[in-house]
Amino acid sequence: MSGSSAATVIIHIGRHKCASTSLQQEFFPQLTRRFYRGKEMLTNITHKGNLFPEGPPFDLGPDENNPIILSREGLSLGQVESKSRQLKDWFPNARIVCVVREQRDLLTTLYVWRYACDFMFKSLRRYLRSVVRSKYGPLLFNHLVLEQYESVFGKENILVIPYELLREDAEEFYRTIADFSGSAADYVIPTTRWHRTCKRRASLRAYTAYNIFVGIFFLLPTAVLLHELMPDRYRRWRWRACKKLHRFSRRRLGPAIERLFPNSETLAVTSADIAHLLPDIARSNDLLAKYCHYDLESFGYITTRDLRQHLENKAGNT
């Protein structure tokens, strides 16, 4: 390791399904006068905990005068307290970038993403009942991770930017992140929407058929056979095979089905679907507002004021 304390380090912590892949593959590498180390540099801390208390097991780069950028969305999910403190030990002067997303839209994307990637068969209703108890539940409450990073790095070193800004004004979205990272830099606005989420119900039906076919005729037979023949290599081989199947499902199958059935109904999680979560989500968004310089209500985020107006309108109609 060399110069981790002296270098200006920008750490992008996600969150999940908030343009992370676009930032990692097309935006960060194109920034001039920055040194992007990629997401794999932080794999150990996100997946295995604190393995390197003496410092990061890699050289940060040749030029300490230019900001260094690290990115891993797993830094904002699971054991956030230990991860943030380890990052503080490694990079005392680091600045944090966090992209957040409106919860109903996030849940819709998570549901379709898991359908395409994890061979899931749950109905939307069942998924919404269980999501809070799953590992993705904390994604609904952004203030929790921001409060933790604030306590470690300070509020002035945290940039929170809504994902919805990317849809409305991509240039401002990327410019804000570039400006936050330090000295002026040239950048290229990504044109590719990596891993485009296919939300039409026709795509979900295709994913269901595909998952059943792959599970019965490929995963189950190979699991039984390979587990007996190659127990040491079985897990690694299965992981690689599943990853290729996931990529085909997300990048080829879903988009092809959407082109075949362009008029199919689009899936969308509504407030009624998550009525039991709305009070907690609204309180979380109220707390989120103090970290974000944008008007979250204008982007559709639910707040306690929205809930009060909804209840008043409902009582008036009654």
Side-chain angles (χ1 to χ4, degrees), residues 8-284:
T8 301
V9 180
I10 309 299
I11 304 176
H12 167 244
I13 63 171
R15 309 196 83 194
H16 287 71
K17 314 313 297 177
C18 293
S20 295
T21 305
S22 180
L23 289 169
Q24 292 161 350
Q25 297 192 12
E26 289 204 1
F27 182 67
F28 290 145
Q30 301 293 335
L31 284 172
T32 61
R33 295 188 292 277
R34 276 121 174 114
F35 189 65
Y36 178 53
R37 288 305 308 260
K39 62 183 291 184
E40 301 306 325
M41 295 294 99
L42 296 174
T43 296
N44 285 315
I45 185 176
T46 56
H47 290 285
K48 301 177 183 179
N50 187 354
L51 295 182
F52 308 102
E54 72 283 359
F58 50 82
D59 187 350
L60 284 177
D63 188 356
E64 295 180 2
N65 295 321
N66 294 324
I68 296 161
I69 299 178
L70 303 172
S71 175
R72 189 78 191 189
E73 56 268 40
L75 294 171
S76 61
L77 186 66
Q79 299 178 337
V80 174
E81 181 178 357
S82 61
K83 292 175 182 178
S84 62
R85 295 192 182 282
Q86 184 172 358
L87 290 173
K88 181 67 172 179
D89 291 339
W90 288 357
F91 317 113
N93 301 318
R95 309 185 78 192
I96 307 299
V97 175
C98 182
V99 184
V100 298
R101 190 168 183 171
E102 194 276 320
Q103 286 87 347
R104 290 164 296 185
D105 185 35
L106 174 66
L107 285 171
T108 304
T109 301
L110 275 175
Y111 177 69
V112 178
W113 174 66
R114 291 208 58 205
Y115 236 95
C117 291
D118 295 342
F119 306 109
M120 190 178 72
F121 297 96
K122 285 184 179 181
S123 67
L124 179 61
R125 180 175 297 180
R126 285 185 58 203
Y127 177 73
L128 293 176
R129 283 203 302 263
S130 62
V131 68
V132 176
R133 298 188 299 273
S134 73
K135 68 176 182 179
Y136 299 109
L139 292 177
L140 300 178
F141 310 109
N142 295 299
H143 75 285
L144 296 176
V145 66
L146 293 173
E147 286 177 350
Q148 176 57 40
Y149 274 91
E150 178 190 15
S151 68
V152 176
F153 290 94
K155 184 180 177 182
E156 67 280 2
N157 292 316
I158 300 176
L159 171 68
V160 178
I161 186 167
Y163 171 84
E164 291 73 20
L165 181 63
L166 176 61
R167 294 173 173 172
E168 293 195 3
D169 191 342
E171 183 175 354
E172 181 180 353
F173 177 86
Y174 290 114
R175 184 180 64 249
T176 301
I177 296 176
D179 292 344
F180 181 77
S181 67
S183 58
D186 296 327
Y187 59 91
V188 177
I189 297 178
T191 57
T192 303
R193 293 293 182 265
W194 287 88
H195 303 328
R196 183 172 64 89
T197 302
C198 301
K199 298 179 181 179
R200 296 193 183 278
R201 293 188 182 275
S203 297
L204 289 177
R205 287 192 286 269
Y207 288 146
T208 301
Y210 176 78
N211 291 345
I212 293 173
F213 177 83
V214 170
I216 294 176
F217 295 102
F218 180 74
L219 292 180
L220 183 60
T222 54
V224 174
L225 180 63
L226 290 175
H227 188 66
E228 294 294 330
L229 297 179
M230 298 184 297
D232 295 334
R233 302 180 185 177
Y234 164 68
R235 289 188 177 182
R236 181 180 299 177
W237 185 93
R238 179 183 173 88
W239 178 83
R240 290 177 178 174
C242 288
K243 190 172 183 178
K244 292 183 180 295
L245 292 170
H246 295 163
R247 285 178 176 174
F248 170 79
S249 177
R250 298 169 71 186
R251 300 182 184 182
R252 299 288 186 268
L253 180 63
I257 294 298
E258 293 216 334
R259 286 193 294 269
L260 289 175
F261 302 97
N263 297 323
S264 176
E265 182 184 0
T266 301
L267 179 74
V269 174
T270 65
S271 296
D273 295 326
I274 56 171
H276 60 296
L277 297 174
L278 289 183
D280 292 332
I281 288 176
R283 284 192 291 270
S284 177

